[in-house]
Each structure stands twice: as C-alpha cells, then as structure tokens.
Amino acid sequence: MSKKIFSGVQPTGNLHLGNYLGAIKNFVELNNNKDNQCIFCVVDLHAITVKQDPKELKQNIRETAATFIASGIDPNKSIIFNQSAVSAHAEAAWILSCVSKIGWLNRMTQFKEKAGKDKEKASIGLYSYPVLMAADILLYDSTHVPVGDDQKQHLELCRDIAQKFNNDFNAVNFFKVPEPLIQNKFSRIMSLKDGTKKMSKSDPSDLSRINLTDKKDEIINKIKKAKTDDQLMPESAKNLDSRPEVENLLGIYSSLKNQSLEKSITEFKRKNFSEFKEKLSDIIVDKIEPISKEIKKLLDDKNYLDKILLDGSNKASKIASKKINEIRQLVGF
Ligand code: TYM
C-alpha cells in the first residue's frame, strides 16, 4: 500500500541543522520513494501564533519552500504549499477544537516551554496550535508523519483527536489514525552551547545552531566554539550520558555520515577534540554549503517559488476541500 506522507515546517526563519537532520533529510528520502505520496507544508498559520513581521513572514515562506527544494524535495513529485493558501486548514482546526479536550491540551509540554513564565500573555493560537497541526494531518488522510522527536506528543494528540471525532460522529475510520515517523536515533539535535537544550530557531544565541544558510567560515567558527569538555574523545558509548555536548556532536557527525554512533566513537577514540571538530566541520560544510547556495539561488527567482507554492496549493486544495465537505456533512452543517 502506498504511504500518504504529510509534514510541516514553520516559516520562522533560521531553519537549522536540527530541522534538517530531524525532519527534512527524512522528507527527501520519502520523496525519493516512488510509492509514496508526499505533501510538505510551509505552516504559516502556525508561525503567527507568535508575533511576526508581515514582510519577513512573506520572505520566510519563500525561504522555507526554497529550503525544501534545495535539500532535494522534487516539486514535480511532492506537493509543496503554504498552509494559509488552503482555507480548509483553519476551518478543520475550528471544528476539531470543539472535539478536543482542554485536559489534553493542558498536557502539551511545548506550549509550557514556549509560553514560559508569562502563560497569561501567550496567544490562544499558541495554546491551540496542536489542534491546527491535527487538522493539517487529518485533512489529507495522511498515514505517516515524519517529524523530529519534539513533535511526538503533538502526534499522539492528533491520534486521540482523530479517534474521538470518529467516535463522536459515528464515522468508523473516517479520519485515518496516522503513524509518526521518528528516526530511532539522532531525532533530537541539541544546542551547540548546551547539550541539554534542543537546537532551536528561537535561541537568542546564533552560536547555538548551524543555520542552513550559514557560510563555510561561519560553520567552522561555530563548531570551533561548540561546547565540549576537558577530557579526550570517548572510548565507548557507556558514559556518554554525562557528556551531553559530546554525545550531540558525535550524533550530528554520525547522522551526516549515515553511520552508527559506535562507529564514530571508534573513529575518534581517545583523540583530541580539535581533530574531531575539524572533521565534523568538513562534513557539515560538505552537506550544508550546497544547500545554502541553492537556497540563495532559488530566492533570486521569486516568481518560480511563488509558482511552486501556487501549483502546490491548488493540488492540496482539491484534496482538502473534498475532506472538509465530508466533515461539514458529518457535523450537520
Ligand atoms: P518546526 O517548524 O518547529 O520544526 C520542523 C521540523 O523540524 C524538527 N526539529 C528538530 N528535529 C531534531 N532536532 C531539533 N533540534 C529540531 N528542531 C526542530 C521538528 O520536529 C519538525 O519535524 N508543529 C510543527 C510543524 C507542523 C507539522 C504539522 C508537522 C505543523 N503542522 C503537521 C507535522 C505535521 C513545528 O512547529 O515544527
């Protein structure tokens, strides 16, 4: 049976190595399997859950689409579109929010992290954001959703919402209950400055992440400055738990090389960090520099990117409007 793949990335600028290794690299592999039907969405409705500058948002939407293409997603094979262009997402999110329980949303750890201490001042959109994510996925009868580890809880919620809607409206199997596709290893890339914190676009320090648009010298500099410790490179994976920064850098190296952590450990056993960091920079530059160059090239041709997004949204709209009409009927509209 062919897989129906759906995933989304927020156009909030600074897409980084975590987004690439946790999600986009996987999108490319799924895109390359001819049996899959893939939809990759630039989730601009999600982006406005926190304040955005309208001009920058427009540019970031194009940049995210350019990143998909530059990383190897073929717009002739996969649908690439931006969420706000298909109004069924917002409508389905409203209907699903009337099925979802507040208790479920109260458990979402990402809201707690993002809202921080000032929960009362966070937008309602930031709170109900996982329901919109469920709408995205369910509108396309998606069977598989490739994401990084941080989205696992949102996907579990999506499964609960799908099942509750099917039960509430007596519609057996109406919404397909999707499977998360989270890589076993390296699905959570950590900050270069603190191995216990996720690599994130919102980290105020640019030195905490490798952006997909970074140039060679920036990458080399960031890896040079990446936090390590005063010991030698480890001999085994045994005591890596207490060295999160080292584990993260070895994870990045292994993921880019498509090899096991154990193999990377053997490669650098008892060596100095400087030797490892040099090899790590090389491999990141090899992977990121061509993507970064291609993103810049694509961004020079706004018309091309806008056309990809328009074509994609026309295709997505056809699928989503059929589903939203069925939803309306089930609800009694
Ligand atoms: P977003 O935009 O924060 O991140 C996009 C993808 O990158 C992954 N990711 C990471 N993976 C590993 N290590 C990291 N440090 C790291 N940081 C980010 C995320 O897990 C994600 O896969 N809610 C989603 C977007 C979304 C979506 C959807 C995803 C909206 N609708 C429907 C799947 C299906 C988000 O904010 O991702």
Side-chain angles (χ1 to χ4, degrees), residues 249-287:
L249 294 180
L250 277 164
I252 294 175
Y253 183 82
S254 311
S255 178
L256 285 168
K257 263 204 126 172
N258 284 322
Q259 72 181 24
S260 69
L261 189 69
E262 288 68 24
K263 182 137 194 254
S264 305
I265 291 174
T266 314
E267 207 177 319
F268 296 102
K269 197 167 156 176
R270 299 192 58 76
K271 292 200 167 142
N272 287 323
F273 274 105
S274 54
E275 195 175 334
F276 167 62
K277 281 187 165 182
E278 211 172 289
K279 290 264 162 51
L280 177 61
S281 297
D282 285 349
I283 195 165
I284 299 177
V285 170
D286 278 355
K287 193 74 216 179

Side-chain angles (χ1 to χ4, degrees), residues 6-10 16 18-19 22-23 43 46 110 114 129 133 136-137 145-151 154 187-190 198-201:
F6 185 98
S7 198
V9 175
Q10 291 196 57
H16 51 70
N19 298 121
V43 289
H46 278 90
Q110 196 173 72
K114 288 199 173 176
Y129 154 126
M133 180 163 160
D136 300 339
I137 296 166
V145 184
V147 282
D149 182 68
D150 62 329
Q151 297 298 320
H154 292 163
S187 56
R188 183 179 281 258
I189 303 297
M190 311 310 272
K198 196 180 74 166
M199 185 178 283
S200 154
K201 317 173 195 187

Side-chain angles (χ1 to χ4, degrees), residues 49 94 105 111 119-130:
T49 54
W94 176 255
L105 282 163
F111 173 73
K119 225 162 72 187
E120 300 284 313
K121 286 194 182 149
S123 72
I124 293 171
L126 189 68
Y127 179 73
S128 61
Y129 154 126

